[in-house]
Amino acid sequence: MRYIGLLMTLVLVSVASMKAQTSEFKKWSDGMLSWDDFNGTAVMSASPSHLAVALNTVSEEKVEKGKKILYRIVAEALMSPKDSYADSVVRTEQQLRYHQLLFDQLELYRRRLQRELNSGINGVEAERRLAHYRTLYKEQARVIADETASGADDKKLQEWEYYTRKNLEEVGMPIAPEFIPGDWSYGIYLGIGGSFPTQDIKENFGNCATFLAGLTLGYKRAKLKADIAYGQPDFKNPNVFGATTITPDGVVRPIQGPMNDCATFLSVGTTAGFSVLNSNRVTITPFAGVHWSGYSWNMANLEWTLNEEKNEYVSKVKNTVSAKLKDLGWMAGIDFDIKLHRYVTTTPFFLTGKREQFTSSVRITPFVMYANYKDVVSKGYYLGVTVSYSGIARALSIK
């Protein structure tokens, strides 16, 4: 029966439930337990009271001097009032001392876990240590329930209270150190946009929607990006290379033409930038660099024959070839990153082995790009804009 009482007394709230608002829980540091903290409803009549507690770790964020972000990885000993209950007949001072003893024991393991977190462990190893201390607490609570008869043995209860207070004093109150995001960052961005050619290029190809994917690497405010954009513009001039023939009727006719309505447009390159503004809400980063761009399509070689019935010349496909235009030009633009969400990961990056600050943003990028396709003497600028999702990570280190 003692173990039945223990099982109802010891309820470790799951990690998922700890994501609820902090106001739903009472921290050990908030003060001693009172019967007013037991607001739940009994789920089993076999146990007149039970205490719902949890050992957990959270990341706390603060902004220093309006700009610098600091984190603390904090272990918490929590009690859930809505999941704890006690029947009126057992609301005695001695039974409350028993529940307080269990809560004090949880605080003892919290402090020991905090000391390990303060040594610099995080990520997977921190989760392992958390699981280890949860297990130790469950085993210790089982021993306490057995020796004190779930609080009924006052002498044993006093012995355990003295033992717990002494250990709390010896361990002390470790203060969680502050962590700061490192200087190096890495991330991805994915989005869509539009590309609008000008000058000679506009005479051959139309505007197009583009799909963008890229990687970014940064050191402090300096940024390096590599990306690829894909689109399918239509043809403004089907005979891009201007190949013609003169049929016997004296008419100049094209002898090349596309097999499809659209060409394939690719832009691949790398740029470097520097963040001129880097606040908690917005980052503005002008950039410039080199970009390879090109068009490709399936092109038909045509021949013209006289249709004697209609007395007109008609074309037919003699063969098909792959046509390409390409050039290495330059690109410049500005990234406007509007930050949406920021959190600390629970698992480490495999290279750093550390927890990381991960920032999600909406990135709006107006840009200009220049290309000169010498095969057709076609040159001009591309004006465009992309809207993308950006995810940037920075490893955390002790300040």
Side-chain angles (χ1 to χ4, degrees):
M1 293 300 294
R2 292 178 181 175
Y3 290 109
I4 294 177
L6 170 65
L7 291 175
M8 295 309 302
T9 302
L10 179 62
V11 177
L12 290 175
V13 181
S14 67
V15 174
S17 67
M18 290 298 100
K19 293 181 179 180
Q21 296 182 355
T22 305
S23 59
E24 296 181 7
F25 303 95
K26 178 172 183 173
K27 297 181 180 180
W28 184 91
S29 58
D30 292 336
M32 302 287 287
L33 292 177
S34 71
W35 287 122
D36 291 336
D37 296 320
F38 292 72
N39 301 323
T41 303
V43 294
M44 290 181 62
S45 59
S47 177
S49 70
H50 88 128
L51 175 71
V53 293
L55 180 62
N56 198 25
T57 59
V58 297
S59 62
E60 296 180 349
E61 176 184 321
K62 74 174 183 178
V63 178
E64 187 178 82
K65 297 180 181 178
K67 186 171 163 180
K68 192 172 185 180
I69 301 171
L70 303 176
Y71 295 93
R72 292 197 311 154
I73 308 302
V74 181
E76 292 184 332
L78 302 173
M79 178 263 191
S80 175
K82 68 183 180 64
D83 296 312
S84 302
Y85 64 84
D87 190 271
S88 59
V89 298
V90 297
R91 293 195 174 211
T92 64
E93 181 182 350
Q94 184 165 323
Q95 189 66 18
L96 185 61
R97 284 168 50 205
Y98 171 67
H99 290 310
Q100 183 65 53
L101 171 62
L102 292 177
F103 202 18
D104 291 346
Q105 276 290 319
L106 187 66
E107 170 64 12
L108 178 60
Y109 286 111
R110 183 205 72 81
R111 295 185 185 187
R112 290 172 176 170
L113 173 60
Q114 187 67 63
R115 280 195 169 186
E116 295 200 29
L117 294 175
N118 292 357
S119 69
I121 68 167
N122 59 33
V124 172
E125 182 58 28
E127 294 301 311
R128 289 174 180 165
R129 299 308 298 168
L130 173 60
H132 173 68
Y133 281 111
R134 283 173 173 168
T135 300
L136 290 180
Y137 172 70
K138 290 169 66 175
E139 294 174 351
Q140 186 76 304
R142 186 176 293 112
V143 172
I144 293 173
D146 184 43
E147 293 190 4
T148 66
S150 297
D153 190 330
D154 184 61
K155 181 180 178 181
K156 284 293 184 180
L157 184 61
Q158 290 184 50
E159 291 177 0
W160 273 103
E161 287 174 327
Y162 172 77
Y163 169 80
T164 304
R165 284 195 301 269
K166 183 179 178 181
N167 278 274
L168 285 171
E169 291 172 359
E170 290 178 353
V171 174
M173 184 68 77
I175 299 175
E178 292 179 334
F179 288 77
I180 58 173
D183 292 332
W184 289 95
S185 64
Y186 68 95
I188 63 169
Y189 50 99
L190 302 168
I192 58 175
S195 179
F196 309 95
T198 66
Q199 298 179 273
D200 300 339
I201 302 174
K202 184 180 179 181
E203 302 299 321
N204 291 317
F205 301 98
N207 307 328
C208 70
T210 56
F211 300 89
L212 176 74
L215 302 173
T216 182
L217 179 68
Y219 179 74
K220 295 184 177 179
R221 293 194 175 197
K223 311 292 181 183
L224 183 66
K225 300 193 302 178
D227 55 40
I228 180 171
Y230 169 85
Q232 289 189 316
D234 58 357
F235 291 94
K236 296 299 183 181
N237 173 22
N239 188 14
V240 175
F241 293 99
T244 61
T245 187
I246 301 177
T247 54
D249 60 355
V251 177
V252 178
R253 302 182 188 277
I255 57 173
Q256 289 179 338
M259 294 293 293
N260 306 103
D261 294 334
C262 299
T264 295
F265 173 75
L266 283 178
S267 172
V268 181
T270 182
T271 58
F274 185 84
S275 297
V276 295
L277 174 64
N278 186 14
S279 71
N280 288 326
R281 296 297 181 184
V282 178
T283 299
I284 300 177
T285 309
F287 63 86
V290 295
H291 254 250
W292 176 94
S293 63
Y295 294 91
S296 63
W297 67 98
N298 289 326
M299 184 175 67
N301 288 319
L302 307 175
E303 60 180 8
W304 294 86
T305 58
L306 177 64
N307 185 327
E308 296 182 356
E309 292 182 1
K310 296 183 178 181
N311 193 30
E312 65 180 14
Y313 282 87
V314 296
S315 65
K316 68 176 182 179
V317 177
K318 183 169 59 176
N319 56 45
T320 60
V321 295
S322 178
K324 294 182 179 180
L325 295 177
K326 56 185 178 179
D327 180 65
L328 183 64
W330 58 264
M331 181 180 187
I334 303 176
D335 286 331
F336 295 90
D337 288 323
I338 303 171
K339 299 173 184 178
L340 303 176
H341 181 59
R342 183 172 53 240
Y343 69 96
V344 173
T345 60
T346 58
T347 57
F349 181 49
F350 70 96
L351 290 180
T352 64
K354 298 180 179 180
R355 289 193 181 191
E356 300 184 332
Q357 175 203 68
F358 189 84
T359 304
S360 297
S361 305
V362 171
R363 173 174 293 178
I364 301 173
T365 306
F367 67 87
V368 58
M369 185 170 65
Y370 178 80
N372 183 2
Y373 304 110
K374 298 179 181 179
D375 291 341
V376 293
V377 192
S378 180
K379 63 183 178 180
Y381 296 93
Y382 293 90
L383 304 178
V385 63
T386 60
V387 178
S388 57
Y389 163 82
S390 170
I392 305 296
R394 293 177 180 271
L396 297 181
S397 301
I398 294 180
K399 181 180 177 181

